[in-house]
């Protein structure tokens, strides 16, 4: 890829998450592509430059590994999806209408439907359409780009959730506002994203594995997510820390090896619990109430 397109917010030196001032801090090698990384003075998020243009992003999603037919989650990963749904149910027990943004092949939606949710998904065009779980054919809509978030019906959903999506977006603040608008009063927004304030991010800095992903444009801190919630009339109810442990997040090969614990249900459950209790994970999941 030879991306030369720069997001207009970055060209003005402002953060796409909060419009704060961003300052260069280091460069990273992302799959052979050199990218500059800046940090926001106001919310501490990391911002990469140049962003990909929509055509380049479409090419990535046409061959996205976890959306391909060969990707089948291990039993421990399914348990992790069920744990996500249970966290939602603690704050939204009514089993109403749930929309997952960036649902991929639909494994979380399938589990949510089994538990009585009216579950639907919204996904950007790509290999996920070809390999969507058959039972979800009528439950998932596909959009050409993130501008398609504008098609979300205002005030319709009891829950809107998004896992590892926000960091991929060129206009995350606008997307966050559109997702919030899709909630009913009292509805729940759930966002899971890499945590730029995690121990792993602080230890590894430019070598942090989340920095090495070229399509990870904005890497958020908890401070940035709290700010986005306040701007959109949301109140954070709970923050959950998960993902790869800090000591494993400086090497893609080590992180891949660690993921093998998900083949074993008991090991996966113990690992999730330990990472969460000690706050050692690289990801942050927030659950926030509208109004």
């Amino acid at each position: 890829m030879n991306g030369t397109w720069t997001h207009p917010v970055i060209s003005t030196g402002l953060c796409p998450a909060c419009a704060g001032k961003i300052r260069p801090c280091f460069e990273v090698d992302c799959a052979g592509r050199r990218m500059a990384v800046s940090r926001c003075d106001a919310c501490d998020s990391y911002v990469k430059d140049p962003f990909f243009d929509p055509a380049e992003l479409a090419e990535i999603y046409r061959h996205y590994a976890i959306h391909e037919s060969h990707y089948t989650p291990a039993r421990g990963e399914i348990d992790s999806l069920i744990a996500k749904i249970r966290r939602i149910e603690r704050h939204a027990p009514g089993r109403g209408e749930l929309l997952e943004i960036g649902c991929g092949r639909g494994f979380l939606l399938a589990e949510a439907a089994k538990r009585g949710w009216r579950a639907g998904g919204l996904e950007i065009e790509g290999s996920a359409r070809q390999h969507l779980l058959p039972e979800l054919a009528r439950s998932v809509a596909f959009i050409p780009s993130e501008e398609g978030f504008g098609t979300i019906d205002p005030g319709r959903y009891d829950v809107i959730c998004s896992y590892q999506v926000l960091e991929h977006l060129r206009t995350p603040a606008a997307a966050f506002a559109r997702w919030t608008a899709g909630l009913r009063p009292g509805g729940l927004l759930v966002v899971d994203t890499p945590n730029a304030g995690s121990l792993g991010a602080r230890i590894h800095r430019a070598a942090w594995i989340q920095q090495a992903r070229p399509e990870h444009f904005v890497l958020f801190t908890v401070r940035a997510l709290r700010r986005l919630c306040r701007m959109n009339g949301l109140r954070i109810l709970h923050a959950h820390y998960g993902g790869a442990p800090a000591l494993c997040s400086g090497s893609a090969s080590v992180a891949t090896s660690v993921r093998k614990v998900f083949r074993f249900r008991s090991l996966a459950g113990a690992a999730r619990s330990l990472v969460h209790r000690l706050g050692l994970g690289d990801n942050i999941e927030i659950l926030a109430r509208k109004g």
Side-chain angles (χ1 to χ4, degrees):
M1 295 183 187
N2 297 308
T4 57
W5 186 80
T6 301
H7 193 283
V9 174
I10 293 183
S11 68
T12 63
L14 299 179
C15 173
C18 75
K21 181 71 175 179
I22 59 172
R23 302 178 189 278
C25 52
F26 49 75
E27 291 189 348
V28 291
D29 184 3
C30 300
R33 178 194 191 117
R34 202 70 183 166
M35 300 181 85
V37 179
S38 298
R39 195 154 199 188
C40 177
D41 287 345
C43 70
D44 295 328
S45 294
Y46 287 110
V47 183
K48 285 205 185 91
D49 187 20
F51 278 19
F52 292 162
D53 65 28
E56 290 177 306
L57 282 173
E59 183 63 26
I60 287 173
Y61 296 134
R62 265 195 287 273
H63 306 286
Y64 212 54
I66 61 172
H67 294 173
E68 299 288 344
S69 59
H70 59 73
Y71 175 77
T72 302
R75 185 62 246 185
E77 290 176 293
I78 293 294
D79 288 346
S80 182
L81 297 180
I82 294 171
K84 292 177 190 293
I85 299 167
R86 286 177 174 163
R87 287 195 291 274
I88 289 172
E89 290 170 352
R90 293 189 194 114
H91 302 283
R95 305 292 204 281
E97 195 158 4
L98 178 150
L99 176 70
E100 184 185 6
I101 306 291
C103 61
R105 296 184 62 200
F107 293 106
L108 183 139
L109 292 178
E111 296 299 327
K114 290 176 187 176
R115 298 176 66 86
W117 288 90
R118 298 190 301 278
L122 192 64
E123 178 60 81
I124 292 176
E125 288 282 1
S127 55
R129 179 189 279 275
Q130 296 171 291
H131 306 302
L132 188 68
L133 297 180
E135 63 267 32
L136 298 175
R138 297 185 178 181
S139 303
V140 176
F142 289 88
I143 54 178
S145 68
E146 65 192 72
E147 281 72 21
F149 295 144
T151 64
I152 298 173
D153 293 335
R156 172 177 173 179
Y157 296 96
D158 298 285
V159 176
I160 293 180
C161 56
S162 167
Y163 300 95
Q164 301 293 296
V165 173
L166 194 65
E167 67 275 10
H168 292 234
L169 303 181
R170 295 181 294 116
T171 54
F176 203 94
R178 286 170 175 165
W179 299 352
T180 303
L183 291 170
R184 294 185 175 123
L188 194 68
L189 181 68
V190 184
V191 174
D192 177 282
T193 190
N195 179 10
S198 69
L199 180 61
R202 295 198 301 270
I203 291 173
H204 302 298
R205 287 179 54 79
W208 188 38
I209 55 174
Q210 303 295 348
Q211 297 285 12
R213 298 284 299 275
E215 72 276 22
H216 283 188
F217 297 139
V218 184
L219 294 167
F220 299 83
T221 59
V222 177
R223 183 179 176 185
L225 295 173
R226 289 187 184 279
R227 189 165 181 160
L228 281 171
C229 285
R230 287 196 304 271
M231 290 168 57
N232 289 280
L234 294 163
R235 176 172 55 92
I236 293 181
L237 305 175
H238 180 70
H240 180 86
Y241 296 87
L247 296 178
C248 304
S249 59
S251 165
S253 60
V254 172
T256 299
S257 298
V258 169
R259 285 186 63 83
K260 292 178 181 178
V261 303
F262 282 101
R263 297 175 184 172
F264 308 99
R265 299 181 71 176
S266 59
L267 285 177
R272 281 198 309 271
S273 177
L274 185 64
V275 166
H276 170 56
R277 289 178 184 276
L278 297 180
L280 297 177
D282 265 353
N283 295 336
I284 176 70
E285 175 192 280
I286 60 163
L287 296 93
R289 179 89 66 201
K290 181 177 180 179

